Amino acid sequence: MARKINLNFLSIVIFFLISFIGCEKKEEKAKTFGGSYIDIVSSLQQTSDDGFILAGLTYSFGAGLSDAFILKLDLNGNLQWQKTYGGRRSDTANSIQQTTDGGFIVAGSTFSFGNGLSDVWILKLDKDGSLIWQKTYGGSDSDIANSIQQTTDGGFIVAGSTFSFGNGLSDVWILKLDKDGSLIWQKTYGGSDSDIANS
């Protein structure tokens, strides 16, 4: 019985040593990006070159109160480029995906552009992060995109929430766009309270 307890104790010690060594290795590889204020990543995807694309918001850089913040890293986590997008007010990127042409599609929300309090904001970027086009969608209230994916026809599907349309306080809002960002259809789903689509 004593031997069994000792073996179990040894197994626990080895497990914690391996965990500790693993944590040490991870800490050596950790990298930070940003400036002197708040910078947040909301979406991350591995890219076709084995690097990574990150999207979020920055209060450290850009033109406005907060700007959409896109960073491209190589496979070792080294920064290849970083860019901000936005106007004078608060703008954010909530979702990013690499597209079949090697560029990127970004979805978020903007207070700087559009019709309402905040609008769904979609940006198409080339592989170097240069803006190809940007479009807003929404009504007179707050509308937000939380997720975007390219579809098999080359267009895009967007999921989020709308306070401008629908039945409730906020409704799930799904938008289907063509490859140039033109609206094909939009639909709301929900009841009398708050409903949100995140993906």
Side-chain angles (χ1 to χ4, degrees):
M1 187 69 169
R3 186 179 176 189
K4 186 175 181 183
I5 291 169
N6 288 340
L7 285 174
N8 286 339
F9 177 75
L10 183 61
S11 299
I12 292 167
V13 169
I14 291 169
F15 171 78
F16 278 107
L17 281 173
I18 291 168
S19 299
F20 179 77
I21 291 166
C23 288
E24 288 295 304
K25 286 182 180 176
K26 284 179 185 174
E27 284 177 2
E28 287 173 6
K29 293 182 180 178
K31 300 194 183 226
T32 61
F33 306 91
S36 55
Y37 294 99
I38 296 169
D39 307 295
I40 298 168
V41 169
S42 301
S43 180
L44 180 151
Q45 188 193 49
Q46 190 167 27
T47 50
S48 56
D49 61 358
D50 293 326
F52 303 93
I53 193 75
L54 292 73
L57 66 87
T58 176
Y59 285 89
S60 299
F61 313 112
L65 180 60
S66 71
D67 274 18
F69 194 31
I70 310 296
L71 303 91
K72 176 66 177 71
L73 313 181
D74 67 16
L75 77 167
N76 295 311
N78 299 311
L79 184 66
Q80 293 181 304
W81 53 260
Q82 66 178 33
K83 297 197 176 182
T84 61
Y85 311 83
R88 293 185 300 106
R89 299 175 71 194
S90 294
D91 308 299
T92 183
N94 294 326
S95 178
I96 192 164
Q97 186 187 48
Q98 188 170 36
T99 48
T100 53
D101 61 3
F104 305 97
I105 193 74
V106 182
S109 63
T110 176
F111 283 85
S112 298
F113 315 115
N115 301 313
L117 185 59
S118 72
D119 274 17
V120 164
W121 189 33
I122 309 298
L123 301 88
K124 179 68 180 76
L125 313 178
D126 69 13
K127 65 182 178 62
D128 300 312
S130 297
L131 185 65
I132 298 173
W133 54 258
Q134 62 176 325
K135 297 197 176 182
T136 61
Y137 313 82
S140 59
D141 213 320
S142 293
D143 307 299
I144 300 165
N146 292 321
S147 179
I148 192 165
Q149 286 191 11
Q150 190 170 33
T151 50
T152 53
D153 61 1
F156 305 99
I157 193 78
V158 181
S161 64
T162 177
F163 284 83
S164 299
F165 313 114
N167 301 314
L169 183 60
S170 72
D171 272 21
V172 165
W173 197 26
I174 308 298
L175 301 89
K176 179 66 175 74
L177 314 177
D178 70 12
K179 64 183 178 61
D180 300 312
S182 297
L183 185 66
I184 298 174
W185 54 257
Q186 60 176 324
K187 296 199 176 182
T188 61
Y189 308 85
S192 59
D193 214 324
S194 294
D195 304 296
I196 299 167
N198 292 321
S199 180

